[in-house]
Amino acid sequence: MVNNMELSKRLNWILEKVDKCETIIDVGTDHGYIPIKLIKDNIASRVIASDINKEPLEKARINASLDGVIEKVDLRLGGGLKTLKSKEVQGIIIAGMGGNLIRDILEHDKRKLPFYKFLILQPAQNPEVLREYLYNNGYEVLEEDLCFDEGIYYELFKVRKNSKENMKLDPIYYEFSPTLLKDKHPLM
């Protein structure tokens, strides 16, 4: 049960960035820990937990049942944002997969993205690929952050899609966040 289980520093860090909302989707939910915690902490009234594989969804179903929140967790089998209707949620979490895959998910369903208040994107690798995509495809970067957990540095992007003009950067700033450098982030 999530209450009795210590979430990783990385998962708690992701949860800190979520704005309170009615409904949110956790893409690639794995064990369902984020959806369970979002419900238990009253950050969201309902969470869609999606995954491309049946096994993680079954684990999420069991965990949500054990934690007593299964009636508020909508489990959906499918990849990326394909399981989501436009305007169905206010926020999106995509964490723990590569920057290339996150970019491809966003690009595939880009027509849906202007309707969401925020997207929390936490690539497990290739954050530079995702940063370049976000900065060059009309995303407003609300926040960038860095976390060190279990010997690995993780980057996080909190963004929203809008019609802002693209921010062309010197290529070095796709590797190293201009925001984190400007803010003198302690992990930089």
Side-chain angles (χ1 to χ4, degrees):
M1 291 172 38
V2 173
N3 247 5
N4 300 328
M5 169 184 241
E6 186 63 35
L7 290 181
S8 71
K9 182 177 178 182
R10 182 182 70 89
L11 291 183
N12 278 311
W13 172 63
I14 291 166
L15 287 162
E16 289 170 10
K17 306 299 179 183
V18 180
D19 296 335
K20 190 173 176 83
C21 58
E22 184 63 33
T23 308
I24 190 166
I25 186 170
D26 179 30
V27 176
T29 198
D30 200 18
H31 292 81
Y33 297 146
I34 285 179
I36 292 166
K37 195 81 166 113
L38 289 169
I39 297 293
K40 287 184 134 337
D41 290 353
N42 294 311
I43 297 168
S45 302
R46 184 172 159 267
V47 181
I48 298 168
S50 75
D51 208 287
I52 197 164
N53 296 307
K54 288 180 183 176
E55 295 80 17
L57 275 184
E58 182 57 21
K59 288 178 191 168
R61 186 190 66 73
I62 291 167
N63 289 333
S65 294
L66 290 172
D67 267 299
V69 297
I70 190 66
E71 71 283 348
K72 295 181 178 185
V73 177
D74 183 354
L75 300 160
R76 296 186 185 176
L77 180 64
L81 300 173
K82 294 178 189 124
T83 64
L84 197 59
K85 298 177 197 88
S86 282
K87 303 180 186 178
E88 189 175 14
V89 299
Q90 293 79 51
I92 296 172
I93 299 170
I94 307 176
M97 52 191 82
N100 293 295
L101 180 55
I102 295 173
R103 175 203 59 207
D104 294 348
I105 288 169
L106 297 178
E107 184 63 22
H108 185 269
D109 279 302
K110 61 185 172 189
R111 71 189 185 288
K112 295 178 182 176
L113 298 176
F115 302 108
Y116 306 120
K117 292 181 181 174
F118 64 91
L119 292 84
I120 294 176
L121 311 171
Q122 192 278 295
Q125 62 269 341
N126 303 112
E128 72 285 352
V129 171
L130 183 56
R131 181 178 289 108
E132 182 173 2
Y133 176 78
L134 295 171
Y135 276 75
N136 289 299
N137 285 279
Y139 286 85
E140 178 183 359
V141 178
L142 304 170
E143 184 179 354
E144 282 190 61
D145 202 358
L146 198 55
C147 172
F148 186 71
D149 187 25
E150 298 178 358
I152 300 171
Y153 287 96
Y154 294 100
E155 295 190 50
L156 178 143
F157 303 89
K158 184 173 184 177
V159 299
R160 79 173 142 236
K161 182 82 167 119
N162 63 22
S163 57
K164 271 178 68 170
E165 61 185 66
N166 297 334
M167 290 182 52
K168 295 287 185 198
L169 297 176
D170 187 299
I172 191 71
Y173 292 117
Y174 299 128
E175 293 285 335
F176 301 100
S177 164
T179 304
L180 296 176
L181 287 170
K182 181 179 70 76
D183 294 345
K184 294 181 170 71
H185 193 287
L187 291 178
M188 288 298 281

